[in-house]
Amino acid sequence: MVLGRVGFNYPIFLTFIHYSLSWFLMAILKAFSLLPASPPAKSTPFSSILALGMVMSLSNGLANVSLKYNSVGFYQMAKIAVTPTIVLAEFVLFRKKVSFKKVLALTVVSVGVAVATVTDLQFHLFGACIALAWIVPSAVNKILWSNLQQQENWTALALMWKTTPITLFFLVTMMPWLDPPGFLSFNWNLSNTSAIVMSAVLGFLLQWSGALALGATSATTHVVLGQFKTCVILLGGYLLFGSNPGRTSICGAITALLGMSVYTYLNLLSSQQQPNKTPSRQASFSLAKSKLSKETGSHDDGHRGSEAV
């Protein structure tokens, strides 16, 4: 709506506004000692934080540029391509293998979502290049978020607070190359400004909830969760509000949900077949529970001093 109806034709600057507001809201939390503490500085190399901040700017900035130039259908196709990219990247970076059955389930999910959501493939040549360039940073972004939270004991808010200034810096360097000139001459009336600020507030909530999900699951599961949301919206509109997306889209959404069910079943089955890893899984669960308690402020009084900045 902001890029189209409002006419705010500056996608990178819009992303900059989103992250600036996120940093401001987290600064308020920090001022009231509600922001969870970061792990010890020596536990996480600065290069990891720098890499995450850089890919965050590329992932979110290029996504908004893609939305400006391409149709929603082409944008959805690019999002679907993130799933195999994550599987490949995790194998290259961490030698993490996915079973053949899970690959088949993910393929069914991707095909189903494509049939359900891709109604047109109109695109601009420059926009298509941007969409293709966005796929890899988006996949790496999810992998780094999940890895740092699960392996380095970062909470979602603490990691967002640490990486946001780096993201803002890289967004500033991207503006001259990807945004047209003249954002200061935009009609900053109450209606337009309210829409932009509201999109920034929703962007903060989306980033926070997404980071929580990545800390509790994996990058691949996070993508499948997003595709599940898309199918639920489509089928929910059809069942509850009488919308008619078409028989093809409904069949595609049902096919995707079946693939997601198989993928979930295989994950549960593989966890049950590894009894020797039960202690590590329990430790991981305790770690995730501890991090969630920090996020929601449900920790006991004896730890308040160490968990708040």
Side-chain angles (χ1 to χ4, degrees):
M1 185 184 73
V2 171
L3 293 172
R5 189 182 306 172
V6 174
F8 192 74
N9 212 23
Y10 313 97
I12 301 298
F13 186 56
L14 177 63
T15 311
F16 180 84
I17 293 174
H18 283 196
Y19 277 99
S20 297
L21 182 64
S22 295
W23 188 88
F24 175 73
L25 293 175
M26 287 185 288
I28 295 176
L29 294 176
K30 183 176 176 65
F32 287 95
S33 299
L34 297 175
L35 194 72
S38 306
K42 294 182 179 179
S43 65
T44 304
F46 178 73
S47 59
S48 298
I49 302 297
L50 179 65
L52 180 56
M54 182 179 66
V55 296
M56 282 174 61
S57 64
L58 291 171
S59 174
N60 292 279
L62 294 179
N64 283 337
V65 175
S66 176
L67 277 174
K68 174 185 174 182
Y69 288 100
N70 301 319
S71 66
V72 175
F74 191 84
Y75 177 71
Q76 287 288 351
M77 285 296 292
K79 286 180 65 177
I80 292 170
V82 172
T83 302
T85 305
I86 288 177
V87 174
L88 178 62
E90 286 188 325
F91 175 76
V92 172
L93 295 175
F94 306 112
R95 289 295 182 265
K96 181 179 178 180
K97 297 181 179 179
V98 179
S99 68
F100 180 72
K101 292 181 179 180
K102 287 185 180 180
V103 170
L104 286 179
L106 291 172
T107 301
V108 172
V109 171
S110 298
V111 172
V113 172
V115 172
T117 60
V118 178
T119 56
D120 66 287
L121 291 176
Q122 298 177 5
F123 62 93
H124 188 280
L125 179 59
F126 176 73
C129 294
I130 292 294
L132 293 175
W134 164 80
I135 294 173
V136 172
S138 178
V140 174
N141 179 37
K142 295 179 186 298
I143 293 171
L144 290 178
W145 265 107
S146 182
N147 186 64
L148 284 174
Q149 287 191 80
Q150 294 182 14
Q151 304 297 327
E152 304 290 344
N153 198 24
W154 283 88
T155 62
L157 279 176
L159 193 54
M160 288 167 60
W161 172 257
K162 197 75 171 180
T163 55
T164 296
I166 301 173
T167 301
L168 290 171
F169 169 78
F170 281 104
L171 286 172
V172 169
T173 63
M174 292 167 62
M175 282 184 206
W177 302 97
L178 296 174
D179 271 357
F183 65 84
L184 293 178
S185 61
F186 177 74
N187 183 19
W188 294 93
N189 57 37
L190 180 61
S191 176
N192 292 343
T193 303
S194 298
I196 293 172
V197 172
M198 182 57 65
S199 74
V201 173
L202 294 174
F204 168 72
L205 295 175
L206 177 63
Q207 184 190 7
W208 186 9
S209 60
L212 287 171
L214 281 168
T217 59
S218 66
T220 305
T221 301
H222 182 262
V223 174
V224 174
L225 179 64
Q227 294 171 337
F228 172 76
K229 175 200 68 176
T230 301
C231 294
V232 167
I233 290 174
L234 190 148
L235 293 176
Y238 172 72
L239 295 174
L240 301 177
F241 303 107
S243 64
N244 186 18
R247 183 176 299 178
T248 302
S249 295
I250 294 174
C251 291
I254 294 174
T255 301
L257 290 177
L258 292 175
M260 295 171 195
S261 301
V262 174
Y263 175 77
T264 304
Y265 170 76
L266 291 174
N267 278 336
L268 294 175
L269 190 63
S270 63
S271 65
Q272 294 172 358
Q273 291 176 347
Q274 297 175 351
N276 58 323
K277 293 186 178 180
T278 299
S280 63
R281 290 202 307 271
Q282 291 177 344
S284 176
F285 173 77
S286 301
L287 176 61
K289 184 176 179 181
S290 174
K291 290 193 293 183
L292 288 174
S293 68
K294 291 180 184 180
E295 296 289 348
T296 57
S298 61
H299 41 274
D300 56 73
D301 293 336
H303 290 80
R304 287 183 184 273
S306 62
E307 291 175 348
V309 179

